[in-house]
């Protein structure tokens, strides 16, 4: 085997000295003092950045209120939603197939559990109707936790699950619950007039210029509580942390004679003398649309 050439030995020695030079005691071209100064610089630099970030977060947190948002969008009309929601707001089931509507019944049972009369009597107050339940703070002294008004499940009458534990789904007269999204500090009515819900068949295009609604398919409706109102006593809402026992008011809509084996497009809207009409840009602002189909096969 031939010995390594002098040029090869010289090249490998130069590479080793780039990593560690025993004559100058340099590591990667720097002495220990040089490395120490660099590490000290970056340590101080990143500690400074961390301190600035911590100070900024601390100052920002001082501006926040634990009980209500510091900044709140000017929401002209709150959103609406239904229960049960179904798949993409489609309530489709068959009267002859129990498993097609059992899920809707279970969803309503679960959703209405906090509304049981016994729980409401224990947790919330029996408030006078048609007036706001205002609970002001005394200067810097918080009036927390704030009390809430009872919304008893029995107020939903035929849609409470008591007279009919299937909420009408087994008989082709389903109940749909409607709720208005919570907005802190909202006053949804004035002059003692509560906002109310109305549902109607939704207009849809048949041809290029022809619109048609399904009112004949939808049939008559019943609203619970009467007139489908969100009573003023449940407002204003003070927030989840300040009003821990708050129970959202509901409106139940019962379809009394909906046509079978056909799609029915329904739109429910909120009517109020203080809330603006819903925007076309937001399909859930003050309204909610859903499809109902009851098959009898």
């Amino acid at each position: 085997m031939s010995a390594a050439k002098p040029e090869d030995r010289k090249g490998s020695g130069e590479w080793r000295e780039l990593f560690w030079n025993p004559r100058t005691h340099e590591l990667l071209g720097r002495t220990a003092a040089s490395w120490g100064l660099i590490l000290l610089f970056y340590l101080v630099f990143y500690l400074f950045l961390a301190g600035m970030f911590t100070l900024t977060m601390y100052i920002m947190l001082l501006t926040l209120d634990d009980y209500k948002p510091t900044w709140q969008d000017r929401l002209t009309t709150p959103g609406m939603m239904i229960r049960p929601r179904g798949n993409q707001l489609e309530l489709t089931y068959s009267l002859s197939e129990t498993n097609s509507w059992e899920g809707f019944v279970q969803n309503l049972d679960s959703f209405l559990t906090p509304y049981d009369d016994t729980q409401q009597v224990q947790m919330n107050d029996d408030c006078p109707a048609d007036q706001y339940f205002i609970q002001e703070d005394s200067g810097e002294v918080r009036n927390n936790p704030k009390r809430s008004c009872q919304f008893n499940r029995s107020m939903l009458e035929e849609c409470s699950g008591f007279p009919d534990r299937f909420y009408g789904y087994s008989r082709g007269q389903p109940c749909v619950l409607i709720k208005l999204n919570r907005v802190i500090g909202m006053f949804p009515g004035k002059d003692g007039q509560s906002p109310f819900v109305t549902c109607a068949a939704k207009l849809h295009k048949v041809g290029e210029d022809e619109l048609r609604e399904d009112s004949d398919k939808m049939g008559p409706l019943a609203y619970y509580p009467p007139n489908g109102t969100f009573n003023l006593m449940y407002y204003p809402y003070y927030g989840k942390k300040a009003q821990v026992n708050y129970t959202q008011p509901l409106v139940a809509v019962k379809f009394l004679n909906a046509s079978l084996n056909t799609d029915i497009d329904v739109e429910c809207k909120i009517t109020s003398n203080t809330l603006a009409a819903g925007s076309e840009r937001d399909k859930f602002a003050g309204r909610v649309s859903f499809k109902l189909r009851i098959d009898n096969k």
Side-chain angles (χ1 to χ4, degrees), residues 51-65:
M52 285 291 294
F53 176 76
T54 303
L55 179 62
T56 303
M57 292 297 295
Y58 175 74
I59 294 174
M60 186 191 71
L61 290 174
L62 288 178
T63 67
L64 300 181
D65 192 313

Side-chain angles (χ1 to χ4, degrees), residues 67-212:
Y67 296 96
K68 63 180 181 180
T70 304
W71 304 106
Q72 191 170 355
D73 291 339
R74 292 184 178 181
L75 188 66
T76 55
T77 309
M80 295 178 68
M81 188 46 65
I82 64 169
R83 291 291 187 278
R85 286 183 292 189
N87 182 21
Q88 297 182 345
L89 297 180
E90 293 186 6
L91 304 179
T92 303
Y93 71 96
S94 173
L95 292 173
S96 59
E97 298 179 11
T98 306
N99 59 353
S100 67
W101 49 263
E102 274 184 339
F104 298 148
V105 172
Q106 293 171 2
N107 183 280
L108 290 173
D109 282 338
S110 176
F111 182 75
L112 289 175
T113 297
Y115 292 87
D116 285 343
D117 292 21
T118 52
Q119 291 192 40
Q120 289 294 311
V121 170
Q122 293 173 2
M123 297 190 307
N124 296 331
D125 295 1
D126 185 10
C127 303
D130 302 325
Q131 63 183 39
Y132 290 121
F133 189 29
I134 298 176
Q135 304 169 75
E136 298 287 356
D137 295 328
S138 301
E140 296 297 324
V141 180
R142 301 271 189 184
N143 180 22
N144 293 329
K146 300 185 187 298
R147 294 171 297 157
S148 302
C149 297
Q150 296 177 19
F151 188 95
N152 296 316
R153 184 171 176 173
S154 58
M155 295 168 63
L156 299 177
E157 301 181 35
E158 294 297 320
C159 292
S160 64
F162 295 143
D164 178 6
R165 65 188 185 95
F166 298 128
Y167 303 94
Y169 281 84
S170 62
R171 296 183 286 109
Q173 297 180 328
C175 290
V176 177
L177 304 183
I178 300 173
K179 67 184 186 73
L180 197 62
N181 289 350
R182 304 180 186 188
V183 178
I184 294 177
M186 181 182 71
F187 292 87
K190 63 181 180 180
D191 301 328
Q193 297 181 24
S194 299
F196 60 92
V197 173
T198 55
C199 297
K202 188 176 181 180
L203 292 172
H204 56 87
K205 282 189 176 182
V206 178
E208 291 186 2
D209 301 319
E210 184 180 357
L211 294 175
R212 189 180 67 189

